[in-house]
Structures are given as structure tokens and as C-alpha cells.
């Protein structure tokens, strides 16, 4: 009885100290304001939003254009913080409502996006988004989170020095696009009960639009940088992920970036915002500025003469929400000075309010709504933590292996664990992270296999400014029959606002590796913890280095993931989502040169696997396994006929609009002239696991275009499909990739127009570092007798 009383008193004390407070909401049925039309859930969202906006004064309106919106108390609309983050888990970064306390001390922290992308697993990306949105909704119900999350980052990883590489899905536009679509759907989709498809679980935002990937490099910062981008590069590199976000993911927000593109700040460019995002792509949502972007282009680059001009320019360009306070400060005066019409303000607010209405913010008590049953038990659940661990394991890339991996836990008696990231915890959760459920460092994970393992950091930090700790590390290595070196970088080297200047390991880290290798008689496993590539060519030449792993920033339980791969309880299958360049690449190429294509006349080698012509350390898509897999093409068409769409002006010779004849056998055809629905095909691939272990395999399908004399700048290769498949030892499994010719098998000309080239197209199945299987596809115009059969 005494124990029961003590338990009850403890519970009451907990509730008094840490009260569970419900999130404020609009349209409380107990209030008279719930009778207004904007609270009527039977009306269309647009009608409700228009009704609400019509009731506001100008002074009230402008305070709702900022992320810390004040609300309208007289109408029962509470204040709302729009800025929350959920890049790879619910984060407390931002000025929104999201925070942690004793009620919810942490949330599931997945690996950095760059590592999850290396899994090449779309179902994983979708499930991650679903878990994050469930935890976000649960925390919202507890008064600890918002509903609008400014994630994911869908910028293409163009330059290996970029400090925000960790936030992105890599260098390939298709991978970035497919990651974005799946993660956005996971965040936003409410499930099968959403018959109309317009309700939102949480709101997602694709950022940073567009051509943004210079933060701070050699004195050039993102606030002042003017990205000079060709129409060709814009169309086939920088824009596709955002287009996919809007049109396939149905994202409810897009964030414009700090930088200028071809002289114009993105948040003030009506062509990019109103013209493309809303006009061409059909965004159903709101456009928000990166934080203080409007103020930046007034104060930092003096793009306008007055603050009022700056806010008027942004609103007329199509901006709806200001992360920052500039629109709140200066919009009222801009309207009074006739620099912008009040109706433009109204339209912005309507877009913003519709998103909140789709989230149920104006539907009364959220605990009575669809996700009202979610709570404490839905955050950091065992299922969610297991998925975070699985995501890390799926992404880890085995770069090199001379047979040393996997290590045996029975024969490895003396293990040395060395390196500045060997006992990493916070480093593993990357940036835009919250507080994780818990941590498992590499040291902790590896000690689960060899409890007597000896640990030496070797360097006091990743900057490794001196050699004072290297001697002790070498001594530990001398007594070991196996050494795991966990090297790499962290947020002090690559981060938002901090780009790298080189690709080598910092400070004396190379010395540490070399001295450990010299001291040991055992095998050395080198683990690289980083987002961007590291030039590890020195280590590849050291015979005692038996294996090299890239582990990105592997999330809260990254240490378990690393250990399970090293000791063979998980067979690695990750593929690198970026090219590993040698150090001389960054010595040769300025980060500020936005050109993707190689240009031999100025000794410019190009960027990413699609256009780079120089040497690599590891190629895009590289990744080994403990098993051997073979692939073969089971089914694919050999010929595709091109038919015109119904709006094309027919040419009597070939029934299609031929724009530029190249030769008697090859023609360039504008994509807008083609009936694209008939130009998708299935590529069926068989995968055999020859052993010795069960495992997964990532199948990459690349396209090599036919030669074209009329189009300059064709890619070397271009990814057109990928699938991850689990195959047990000695089994064969088939997988099907749907290849969209109009989306993937086309070239972009210098004017940014997409063209399909007739002739012999080559499909290559397998990464460039694997034995690739070729398939030839003849894409041609129909002959006259074939037209007559239509």
C-alpha cells in the first residue's frame, strides 16, 4: 500500500512539474466564433480562407505574413509558429512550437539524408516520412510541436565541398526527385481515408528553390552569391527535384533561397515563383522565403531602394510567407504607398490559410480529429527506433574490401577502436536534428562484439590540430589483431554556412592512419564518417587497410549499424549517391562555377557522374557487398515508335513535327510534340545471389544517348531507374523498373528545351564499377505502313 501511495504521489508531482498542454486551435465549438463560415468544415477550403481574410484589417493581415504569426484573438484564431523542421526526424530547430521536455525528451533521429539516399530504397524513404509525421502529430497533440515542417532539402549535390551535402539525397536529379516525392508523401499523406487527397497529416516544404549550393566558400557567401546558370543546366539539373516535389509529391510548400539566379533574388523573381512554381507546375500550397531572405536582398545586396520596395517585390513575385519579420514590418506601409495592392496580400494569406485548414487547424479540438489519438507512446517507439537503425544499415557503403571484412567476433580477440569519430554521438545525428531517443556510438556498438576492445581517440577532435595523441593510438594498434579506425569530419568542417576548401582528412588525421597502420600486425578497417567525399587514395595504397566503409552521419544508433556491418550481421548494399573526386579536382574547379558540362577549351572537367570527365576515387553508384551478385535482362523492348500528340501540326512525311534533322537516320524531336503516354516501358531485370551470404542488391539502370550532332552537352550517362531487392543465397529474383522515355531518355538543348533523339539508345544495367549488362533500344518514327495501322 505504501508503494502504491508513493507511486501515485510521484505521478501527481510529475504532472504538476511537466503539464501536458494541448496545442491552441481555431474554431473551438465552445466559442461564438465557431459559427463563422471559416469554421464550417462543409465549405471548400478556399471559401473558408476567403471568409477569414475578408474579416481582417490590413494591420492584422500583415502580421499573418510572417512565420511567427500573431493570430487574431477577436476571431478565436491563435498565434501560430510556421517554422518547424523535420529533415530526418522531428527537430527543435526553428522558431515554431517544436520543443522537447520531460514529457517527450527526444524523437527518433534517422541518419543524415545523404546516407539514407545511399540505400536507393524508395519504400524506406516513404516509411521514414510516415514515422516522422506520426511523431510530429503526437507531439502536436501534446502541445510540443507544430504542423508545418520546412523539409526536405532537395538541392542537387553539385560540388563536393558544399557544407550542406548532408541534407541532400546526392548528386543525381532522379534520385533527389524520387527521395523528395516519397519523403513528402510520407510526411503529408493521411492514408486511404483521404478520398479527396487534399487533407494533410503534416505540411512539407521542398527547399531551397533554386540553384542553391554555395554557403560560404573562400569569402563568397549565400547572401551575396549570384548563381550564373544556363537554361540547359537549369532544366536538367536544378529544377527537376522541385518539379517532382510539386507535381508528383504534391508538396504543400516551396521555399525560395537566399541566392540570386542570373542576377535576380529567387524570392523576388516572378518568373521562378508565380510563373514556374505556381503557374507551370501548379503548386497547391504556399511559397515561403528562406529566413530573412527579403531583408537580405535589401540590406546585403541593396537590390531595392527601400524596405517597402523589397516586400512589394516579393509579394508581387509570388511570395506568400516570410520567414522573418520584414513583411510584418513593412507591408502595411508598402500598401499605403501604392507599391503593392492589398489584394496581393489577401491572395498570399488565402494560400497560407488553406494549408492550415487542410491540416485541421480550423476544425476544432485536434484530439477529436483524425490523429487525435497519437501521444507519448508514438514517439521513440521500438518500431521507429528499429527503422532508424535499419536505415543506417541500408545506407552504409562498402567502398573497398580485400577479404578482411566481415571481421569474425570469435577470432578477433584484441580489437583497437581508434579515431576522433570512434566515440561520436552528436556528430552522428548531423544537422537540423532534434534530441534523439538515445545514442549508440561506434565504440559502444563495436564493444557489443568485442567487450575488451581498447579505445584511443588519436586526435582530440576531427580537426586533429596536433599529434599528441597519436602515439597512444599506435601503441594500442600494436597490440591488436584488428583495428577499426573511425575517421572523417563533422559540423566544424562541413555545415550550413561553412563549405569545405579541400577534400582531404583534416589536420593530422592521415598521419594517424599511417602510424596506426605501421604499428599494427593486424588488419585495419577504415571507417569514414562524413557527408561529402574524402580523398582516401592514400589509404587505398596501404596494404594493411583491409576494408574501407563510408557511413555518412548514421543517426542515433549509428554505432550499432557500423558494428553489425563490420562483424557481418548485416550484408552491406549501399551505393554512393555521389562521385568521390580526388583533391586535385577542387584545386582546379572554383566552387562558384555553376556549369555542369565539361568544357575542354577552358580545362573545365564538368560536374557529377553525368558530365565529369576526370579521374575518380570512387564513382557514383559504387558499393560492394559480402556476396557476389549477377544481373541479366529478362525483358525489355527493342523498338519504340514515336507518335505525335493531338496538338501537333502534322508533317505529311512522318506525321510528327521534326524540328532539326541531324542525319538520314537521326532526328531531334521536341518533347512537347510527342504522345508520351505510349513511350514508357518496363525493364525487367533478374538478380542472382551467388553467395556466400543472403543480402540485398541495388540495381541501377543508366541510359547512354545516341550521338547527336545538333545537341551539345549530352550526359556521359544518366540514371533512369533503380530498385533495391533482397535476394537470399543461391536465389534469383526479378524486379521491374518502369522507364519513362519522355522524362528520362531525352536531352536538353541550350534553350532549355527537351528533345528526344531518334536512333539507337543504350541501357546499361549495373553501376559503372560493376559488370554492366547492355540493352539496345531503337527509338524511331513509324513507317507509313505502321501509321496506316493506327
Amino acid at each position: 500500500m505504501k508503494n502504491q501511495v508513493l507511486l501515485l504521489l510521484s505521478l501527481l508531482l510529475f504532472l504538476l512539474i511537466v503539464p501536458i498542454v494541448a496545442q491552441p486551435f481555431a474554431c473551438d465549438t465552445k466559442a461564438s466564433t465557431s459559427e463563422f463560415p471559416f469554421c464550417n468544415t462543409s465549405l471548400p477550403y478556399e471559401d473558408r480562407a476567403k471568409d477569414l481574410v475578408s474579416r481582417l484589417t490590413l494591420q492584422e493581415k500583415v502580421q499573418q505574413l510572417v512565420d511567427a504569426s500573431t493570430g487574431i484573438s477577436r476571431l478565436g484564431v491563435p498565434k501560430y509558429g510556421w517554422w518547424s523542421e523535420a529533415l530526418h526526424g522531428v527537430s527543435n530547430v526553428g522558431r515554431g512550437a517544436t520543443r522537447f521536455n520531460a514529457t517527450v525528451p527526444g524523437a527518433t533521429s534517422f541518419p543524415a539524408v545523404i546516407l539514407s539516399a545511399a540505400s536507393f530504397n524508395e519504400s524506406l524513404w516513404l516509411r521514414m516520412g510516415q514515422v516522422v509525421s506520426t511523431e510530429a502529430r503526437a507531439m502536436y497533440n501534446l502541445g510540443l510541436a507544430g504542423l508545418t515542417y520546412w523539409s526536405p532539402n532537395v538541392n542537387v549535390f553539385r560540388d563536393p565541398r558544399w557544407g550542406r551535402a548532408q541534407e541532400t539525397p546526392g548528386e543525381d536529379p532522379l534520385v533527389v526527385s524520387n527521395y523528395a516525392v516519397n519523403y513528402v508523401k510520407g510526411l503529408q499523406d493521411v492514408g486511404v481515408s483521404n478520398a479527396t487527397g487534399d487533407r494533410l497529416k503534416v505540411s512539407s516544404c521542398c527547399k531551397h528553390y533554386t540553384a542553391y549550393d554555395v554557403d560560404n566558400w573562400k569569402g563568397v557567401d549565400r547572401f551575396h552569391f549570384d548563381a550564373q546558370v544556363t537554361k540547359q543546366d537549369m532544366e536538367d539539373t536544378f529544377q527537376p527535384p522541385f518539379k517532382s516535389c510539386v507535381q508528383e509529391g504534391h508538396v504543400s510548400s516551396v521555399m525560395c533561397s537566399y541566392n540570386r539566379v542570373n542576377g535576380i533574388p529567387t524570392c523576388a523573381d516572378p518568373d521562378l515563383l508565380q510563373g514556374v512554381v505556381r503557374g507551370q507546375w501548379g503548386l497547391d500550397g504556399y511559397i515561403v522565403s528562406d529566413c530573412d531572405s527579403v531583408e537580405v536582398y535589401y540590406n546585403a545586396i541593396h537590390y531595392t531602394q527601400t524596405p517597402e520596395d523589397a516586400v512589394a517585390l516579393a509579394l508581387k513575385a509570388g511570395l506568400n510567407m516570410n520567414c522573418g519579420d520584414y513583411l510584418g514590418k513593412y507591408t502595411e506601409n508598402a500598401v499605403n504607398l501604392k507599391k503593392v495592392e492589398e489584394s496581393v496580400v489577401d491572395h498570399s494569406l488565402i494560400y497560407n490559410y488553406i494549408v492550415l485548414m487542410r491540416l485541421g487547424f480550423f476544425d476544432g479540438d485536434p484530439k477529436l480529429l483524425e490523429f487525435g489519438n497519437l501521444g507519448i507512446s508514438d514517439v521513440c517507439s521500438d518500431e521507429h527506433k528499429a527503422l532508424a537503425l535499419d536505415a543506417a544499415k541500408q545506407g552504409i557503403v562498402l567502398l573497398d574490401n580485400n577479404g578482411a571484412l566481415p571481421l569474425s567476433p570469435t577470432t578477433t580477440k584484441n580489437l583497437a577502436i581508434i579515431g576522433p569519430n570512434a566515440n561520436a554521438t552528436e556528430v552522428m545525428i548531423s544537422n537540423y536534428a532534434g534530441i534523439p531517443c538515445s545514442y549508440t556510438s561506434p565504440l559502444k556498438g563495436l564493444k557489443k562484439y568485442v567487450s575488451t576492445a581498447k579505445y584511443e581517440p588519436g586526435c582530440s577532435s576531427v580537426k586533429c590540430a596536433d599529434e599528441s595523441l597519436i602515439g597512444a593510438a599506435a601503441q594500442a594498434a600494436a597490440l591488436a589483431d584488428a583495428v577499426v579506425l573511425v575517421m572523417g569530419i563533422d559540423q566544424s568542417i562541413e555545415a550550413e554556412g561553412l563549405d569545405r576548401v579541400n577534400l582531404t582528412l583534416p589536420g593530422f588525421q592521415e598521419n594517424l592512419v599511417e602510424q596506426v597502420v605501421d604499428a599494427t600486425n593486424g588488419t585495419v578497417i577504415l571507417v569514414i564518417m562524413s557527408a561529402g567525399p574524402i580523398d582516401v587514395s592514400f589509404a587505398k595504397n596501404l596494404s594493411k587497410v583491409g576494408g574501407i566503409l563510408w557511413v555518412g552521419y548514421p543517426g542515433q544508433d549509428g554505432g550499432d549499424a557500423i558494428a553489425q556491418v563490420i562483424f557481418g550481421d548485416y550484408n552491406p548494399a549501399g551505393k554512393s549517391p555521389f562521385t568521390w573526386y580526388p583533391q586535385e579536382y577542387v584545386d582546379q574547379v572554383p566552387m562558384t562555377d555553376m556549369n555542369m558540362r565539361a568544357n575542354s577549351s577552358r580545362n573545365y572537367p564538368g560536374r557529377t557522374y553525368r558530365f565529369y570527365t576526370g579521374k575518380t576515387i570512387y564513382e557514383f553508384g559504387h558499393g560492394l557487398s559480402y556476396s557476389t551478385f549477377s544481373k541479366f535482362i529478362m525483358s525489355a523492348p527493342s523498338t519504340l515508335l514515336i507518335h505525335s500528340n493531338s496538338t501537333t501540326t502534322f508533317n505529311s512525311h512522318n506525321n510528327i513535327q521534326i524540328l532539326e534533322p541531324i542525319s538520314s537516320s537521326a532526328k531531334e524531336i521536341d518533347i512537347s510534340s510527342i504522345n508520351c503516354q505510349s513511350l514508357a516501358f518496363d525493364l525487367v531485370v533478374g538478380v542472382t545471389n551467388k553467395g556466400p551470404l543472403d543480402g540485398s542488391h541495388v540495381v541501377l539502370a543508366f541510359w547512354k544517348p545516341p550521338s547527336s550532332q545538333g545537341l551539345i552537352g549530352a550526359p556521359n550517362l544518366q540514371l533512369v531507374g533503380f530498385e533495391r531487392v533482397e535476394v537470399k543465397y543461391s536465389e534469383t529474383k526479378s524486379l521491374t523498373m518502369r522507364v519513362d522515355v519522355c522524362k528520362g531518355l531525352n536531352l536538353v538543348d541550350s534553350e532549355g528545351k527537351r528533345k528526344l533523339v531518334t536512333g539507337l539508345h543504350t541501357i546499361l544495367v549495373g553501376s559503372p564499377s560493376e559488370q554492366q549488362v547492355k540493352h539496345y533500344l531503337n527509338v524511331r518514327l513509324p513507317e507509313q505502313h505502321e501509321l496506316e495501322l493506327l
Side-chain angles (χ1 to χ4, degrees):
M1 181 66 180
K2 182 179 178 181
N3 289 340
Q4 290 176 322
V5 172
L6 287 173
L7 181 62
L8 180 61
L9 288 173
S10 299
L11 179 60
L12 288 172
L13 182 62
F14 174 81
L15 292 173
L16 286 172
I17 296 173
V18 189
I20 297 175
V21 181
Q23 195 71 270
F25 56 90
C27 299
D28 190 339
T29 55
K30 299 174 183 177
S32 60
T33 52
S34 65
E35 300 301 317
F36 288 126
F38 67 78
C39 292
N40 186 345
T41 58
S42 68
L43 294 176
Y45 295 125
E46 186 175 356
D47 292 352
R48 297 171 67 190
K50 286 180 177 178
D51 175 73
L52 175 56
V53 172
S54 72
R55 299 175 186 277
L56 308 185
T57 66
L58 178 60
Q59 291 83 357
E60 289 172 328
K61 290 175 183 177
V62 301
Q63 297 308 317
Q64 318 313 314
L65 292 171
V66 295
D67 67 284
S69 64
T70 59
I72 308 101
S73 58
R74 66 181 179 86
L75 296 177
V77 180
K79 65 181 181 180
Y80 180 74
W82 288 79
W83 179 11
S84 293
E85 300 282 353
L87 182 66
H88 51 100
V90 179
S91 170
N92 53 357
V93 172
R95 290 191 289 259
T98 307
R99 64 192 187 280
F100 297 99
N101 62 14
T103 306
V104 180
T108 306
S109 189
F110 287 90
V113 175
I114 194 73
L115 184 65
S116 297
S119 71
F120 285 83
N121 188 343
E122 294 188 47
S123 62
L124 171 67
W125 304 334
L126 176 69
R127 183 66 187 128
M128 285 166 49
Q130 291 169 337
V131 165
V132 173
S133 59
T134 292
E135 297 199 352
R137 268 287 180 171
M139 291 177 65
Y140 174 76
N141 292 341
L142 298 167
L144 295 173
L147 293 169
T148 47
Y149 291 85
W150 293 347
S151 306
N153 180 335
V154 300
N155 295 116
V156 169
F157 182 22
R158 174 189 62 94
D159 188 285
R161 291 161 287 195
W162 190 27
R164 302 185 75 170
Q166 56 203 295
E167 302 174 34
T168 78
E171 72 179 36
D172 179 76
L174 178 67
V175 177
V176 178
S177 296
N178 290 11
Y179 179 93
V181 168
N182 282 278
Y183 192 68
V184 166
K185 285 183 175 180
L187 289 177
Q188 294 195 159
D189 287 2
V190 303
V192 293
S193 63
N194 190 13
T196 59
D198 52 9
R199 297 203 318 279
L200 298 170
K201 190 176 179 185
V202 301
S203 170
S204 177
C205 174
C206 288
K207 62 185 185 183
H208 311 81
Y209 182 74
T210 182
Y212 166 75
D213 55 11
V214 172
D215 265 62
N216 194 337
W217 178 76
K218 294 187 175 181
V220 179
D221 67 44
R222 57 187 174 168
F223 308 122
H224 297 84
F225 181 56
D226 184 4
Q228 296 296 308
V229 184
T230 67
K231 293 178 182 178
Q232 191 176 34
D233 288 341
M234 185 70 86
E235 173 62 24
D236 74 358
T237 296
F238 299 109
Q239 294 291 69
F242 292 97
K243 183 177 182 180
S244 294
C245 264
V246 174
Q247 294 192 331
E248 298 173 47
H250 305 291
V251 75
S252 50
S253 179
V254 169
M255 177 183 284
C256 53
S257 53
Y258 289 113
N259 57 294
R260 286 168 282 169
V261 174
N262 299 328
I264 305 174
T266 63
C267 292
D269 191 332
D271 291 333
L272 285 176
L273 303 188
Q274 193 66 37
V276 175
V277 173
R278 197 169 296 285
Q280 292 181 25
W281 298 344
L283 173 70
D284 183 10
Y286 68 100
I287 299 174
V288 61
S289 72
D290 204 341
C291 294
D292 302 313
S293 289
V294 180
E295 181 180 2
V296 162
Y297 70 68
Y298 168 69
N299 276 330
I301 64 173
H302 311 296
Y303 192 74
T304 62
Q305 292 186 337
T306 68
E308 288 80 6
D309 289 327
V311 300
L313 196 61
L315 287 166
K316 289 188 288 187
L319 187 73
N320 312 126
M321 168 71 60
N322 175 203
C323 179
D325 58 10
Y326 236 51
L327 264 62
K329 284 182 177 179
Y330 297 108
T331 299
E332 182 181 357
N333 202 33
V335 171
N336 292 333
L337 292 172
K338 310 294 185 186
K339 293 180 181 291
V340 63
E341 298 291 331
E342 188 172 353
S343 61
V344 176
V345 176
D346 292 349
H347 282 122
S348 288
L349 288 174
I350 290 168
Y351 288 128
N352 300 345
Y353 280 132
I354 285 175
V355 169
L356 285 183
M357 289 173 178
R358 293 170 65 192
L359 288 160
F361 189 78
F362 286 86
D363 292 354
D365 188 347
K367 291 189 176 178
L368 302 177
L369 302 177
E370 187 165 10
F371 301 102
N373 62 329
L374 297 175
I376 295 172
S377 62
D378 297 292
V379 183
C380 284
S381 68
D382 289 343
E383 180 187 355
H384 294 179
K385 290 186 289 187
L387 186 68
L389 173 59
D390 190 44
K393 292 189 290 188
Q394 287 197 37
I396 288 175
V397 179
L398 178 60
L399 295 170
D400 268 309
N401 187 19
N402 68 2
L405 286 171
L407 297 180
S408 168
T410 55
T411 59
T412 305
K413 303 298 183 183
N414 298 299
L415 178 67
I417 305 168
I418 295 170
N421 278 333
N423 200 25
T425 52
E426 189 174 347
V427 173
M428 297 192 301
I429 62 172
S430 185
N431 67 351
Y432 282 88
I435 299 173
C437 308
S438 59
Y439 285 115
T440 304
S441 69
L443 175 62
K444 185 177 179 180
L446 290 164
K447 278 199 165 188
K448 291 179 181 180
Y449 288 88
V450 183
S451 60
T452 58
K454 174 72 173 175
Y455 164 64
E456 288 291 342
C459 300
S460 59
S461 71
V462 297
K463 291 189 174 180
C464 204
D466 59 62
E467 298 180 271
S468 60
L469 301 178
I470 293 180
Q475 289 178 8
L479 300 174
D481 47 43
V483 179
V484 176
L485 274 164
V486 190
M487 314 300 286
I489 52 183
D490 63 14
Q491 300 296 308
S492 69
I493 304 294
E494 57 176 357
E496 181 174 6
L498 179 63
D499 298 317
R500 289 194 283 166
V501 293
N502 59 57
L503 302 182
T504 54
L505 286 170
F508 288 95
Q509 280 199 48
E510 283 193 19
N511 297 48
L512 171 59
V513 173
E514 289 168 345
Q515 290 193 41
V516 163
V517 167
D518 287 343
T520 189
N521 290 318
T523 190
V524 175
I525 307 303
L526 176 61
V527 176
I528 298 296
M529 190 177 292
S530 70
I534 304 287
D535 186 340
V536 293
S537 52
F538 79 98
K540 286 166 64 71
N541 295 323
L542 299 174
S543 60
K544 292 182 188 176
V545 175
I548 303 177
L549 290 164
W550 174 74
V551 300
Y553 295 120
Q556 60 183 35
D557 289 322
D560 275 336
I562 293 166
Q564 288 180 32
V565 169
I566 286 176
F567 281 97
D569 281 338
Y570 189 86
N571 192 350
K575 301 286 188 184
S576 177
F578 53 81
T579 300
W580 291 65
Y581 303 90
Q583 170 61 28
E584 54 259 34
Y585 177 81
V586 298
D587 295 334
Q588 179 184 3
V589 179
M591 189 174 178
T592 49
D593 191 326
M594 299 293 291
N595 286 287
M596 298 299 298
R597 270 89 176 158
N599 187 330
S600 58
S601 66
R602 57 187 186 95
N603 199 30
Y604 184 74
R607 296 183 178 278
T608 76
Y609 81 94
R610 294 163 65 223
F611 304 107
Y612 178 55
T613 57
K615 296 184 297 181
T616 63
I617 298 172
Y618 302 108
E619 295 180 274
F620 170 87
H622 174 73
L624 306 177
S625 169
Y626 297 151
S627 293
T628 300
F629 293 88
S630 64
K631 294 175 287 292
F632 57 97
I633 295 174
M634 300 176 70
S635 173
S638 58
T639 301
L640 280 180
L641 300 182
I642 307 168
H643 299 286
S644 66
N645 61 33
S646 58
T647 61
T648 302
T649 302
F650 288 171
N651 178 298
S652 60
H653 174 66
N654 51 35
N655 207 31
I656 200 162
Q657 184 182 13
I658 303 303
L659 300 181
E660 296 177 41
I662 300 171
S663 69
S664 59
S665 59
K667 298 177 173 65
E668 295 172 9
I669 305 171
D670 195 291
I671 289 293
S672 63
S673 305
I674 296 171
N675 180 357
C676 289
Q677 291 184 346
S678 63
L679 280 181
F681 65 90
D682 287 336
L683 176 66
V684 183
V685 178
V687 180
T688 300
N689 182 349
K690 298 182 177 180
L693 302 176
D694 297 343
S696 294
H697 187 63
V698 171
V699 179
L700 304 178
F702 294 90
W703 165 66
K704 187 174 181 59
S707 60
S708 169
Q709 299 171 5
L711 284 174
I712 298 173
N716 307 316
L717 287 175
Q718 185 161 297
L719 190 69
V720 293
F722 58 89
E723 289 286 343
R724 184 183 180 106
V725 60
E726 187 173 342
V727 190
K728 294 186 180 299
Y729 168 50
S730 79
E731 285 189 354
T732 296
K733 280 193 176 179
S734 65
L735 58 89
T736 301
M737 285 182 267
R738 187 71 173 167
V739 180
D740 186 333
V741 174
C742 287
K743 187 176 179 180
L745 273 61
N746 62 75
L747 301 175
V748 176
D749 68 14
S750 60
E751 292 301 311
K753 303 296 183 183
R754 290 190 176 268
K755 305 291 179 65
L756 178 60
V757 180
T758 62
L760 204 59
H761 296 243
T762 306
I763 304 296
L764 297 161
V765 176
S767 73
S769 60
E770 296 173 340
Q771 183 174 354
Q772 294 180 313
V773 182
K774 289 185 180 182
H775 177 77
Y776 296 103
L777 176 66
N778 185 19
V779 177
R780 64 176 177 83
L781 301 168
E783 300 292 339
Q784 188 62 42
H785 72 276
E786 292 169 316
L787 288 172
E788 292 170 356
L789 295 175
L790 296 178

